[in-house]
Amino acid sequence: LLTGFGATAAGYFVQGWFKFGGVEFFKINAVEYMGEEKAWDNKTGIYLASAAAAECIADVFLCPLEAVRIRSVSDPEFCTGLADGFVKMAKTEGLKGFYAGLLPILGKQVPYTMAKFAVQGSAADSIYLSMGKTPDELSATANLGVSLGSGVIAGVAAAIISHPADTLLSKVNKAGAGGSGSMMSRLVNIAGEIGFWNLCTVGLIPRCVMIGTLTAGQFGIFDTVMNALGASKFHFTNPDAIDGGH
C-alpha cells in the first residue's frame, strides 16, 4: 500500500507549491496589467491561462518524481525508496527516463488544472452571488466552506476531463508498454489497445469521488495556509458592484 508513497508525497507537494502559488502569481499580474474592469470581463480566460502556465512549470518538477513512483509501483523490487529510485533510474535510463512521461503528464495535468481552477472560480463566484456577499464580508470559516464546496464541483469536472490522459500515463511508464517506438507511437498503441470508451469511462466514478474530495481539501488547505500567513486569496472584483451598478 505504501509502495511509492515517498515519491508521491514529494512530487505532489512540489507540484502543489508551484501550481497554487503560480496561479495566484499569474492572476495578480494579469489583473495589474489589464486593470480590474477588463480583468473581470476576461476572468475565465485569466483563470485558464494562469492555470496552464503554472501547471507547465509545476510538471517539469513533478515528472521525475512521478516516473520513479510509477516504476516503483509497477516493479516493487526496482528501488527501496525515493533516493534509491532516482539513482537507479539516472544510471539505467538517464534524463530520458525521468521525462518519458512528460507529454502524457502535460496532457493530463494541464487540462485538469485549467478545468479545476476555472470551474472552482466560477462555482465560488456563483455561491457568493447566491449569498449576496463578497469574500471580504464573510468570516474565514464561511470562506473556507465556499472553497470546500466549489472545490468538490471543480474536482469532479477536472477528473472527467483528465481521465483518459491519466489512464495513458499509468500505462506508458511501465516497461515495454506500447512497444519500442517514439513516445507518440507508444501512446497511440496503448490507446488502441484499451479503446476510446474504456479510456474515458473505466474507473471514472471512483476517480471523481477521490479527486472531488482531494480537490476540496487542496483549496481548503490553501485558504487555511494563506490565512495563517496573514495573507488572503486573490478574488476578482466586479467594478459595477463597487460602483453601485452604475
Side-chain angles (χ1 to χ4, degrees):
L1 180 64
L2 295 178
T3 301
F5 176 77
T8 301
Y12 285 94
F13 174 81
V14 170
Q15 186 203 32
W17 177 273
F18 282 99
K19 177 160 56 179
F20 279 81
V23 168
E24 288 294 298
F25 172 81
F26 288 119
K27 279 195 306 181
I28 291 170
N29 279 273
V31 173
E32 289 179 350
Y33 176 77
M34 299 172 68
E36 287 193 357
E37 184 173 353
K38 191 174 181 180
W40 174 260
D41 293 335
N42 295 277
K43 62 178 181 176
T44 299
I46 294 173
Y47 270 122
L48 293 172
S50 298
E55 186 60 57
C56 286
I57 295 170
D59 287 346
V60 171
F61 294 92
L62 171 67
C63 194
L65 294 155
E66 185 72 354
V68 173
R69 181 191 73 81
I70 291 175
R71 179 60 60 84
S72 65
V73 171
S74 62
D75 181 9
E77 297 181 359
F78 174 70
C79 63
T80 58
L82 179 58
D84 181 47
F86 261 96
V87 172
K88 286 187 176 180
M89 187 167 283
K91 287 182 177 179
T92 58
E93 301 180 38
L95 189 64
K96 182 180 178 180
F98 289 120
Y99 286 96
L102 181 59
L103 183 62
I105 280 183
L106 290 173
K108 165 197 168 186
Q109 290 294 138
V110 172
Y112 167 85
T113 300
M114 291 172 71
K116 178 166 76 172
F117 281 93
V119 172
Q120 192 272 339
S122 179
D125 287 343
S126 296
I127 294 172
Y128 285 121
L129 182 62
S130 70
M131 298 170 68
K133 300 285 187 179
T134 67
D136 292 339
E137 294 173 329
L138 295 176
S139 66
T141 301
N143 281 320
L144 178 60
V146 173
S147 289
L148 292 173
S150 57
V152 171
I153 298 170
V156 172
I160 293 171
I161 289 172
S162 66
H163 189 65
D166 184 66
T167 302
L168 287 176
L169 178 61
S170 68
K171 303 290 185 183
V172 76
N173 274 308
K174 295 181 180 179
S180 57
S182 66
M183 175 57 62
M184 185 57 69
S185 67
R186 289 176 61 202
L187 291 172
V188 171
N189 291 339
I190 294 171
E193 292 169 3
I194 297 174
F196 178 76
W197 178 254
N198 288 334
L199 270 179
C200 295
T201 60
V202 173
L204 180 59
I205 292 177
R207 177 171 166 77
C208 284
V209 173
M210 180 185 72
I211 298 300
T213 304
L214 177 63
T215 302
Q218 287 176 330
F219 281 103
I221 290 171
F222 182 67
D223 280 14
T224 301
V225 171
M226 292 283 281
N227 288 331
L229 295 175
S232 59
K233 184 178 176 180
F234 175 82
H235 293 277
F236 288 98
T237 302
N238 184 350
D240 290 337
I242 295 175
D243 295 335
H246 298 292

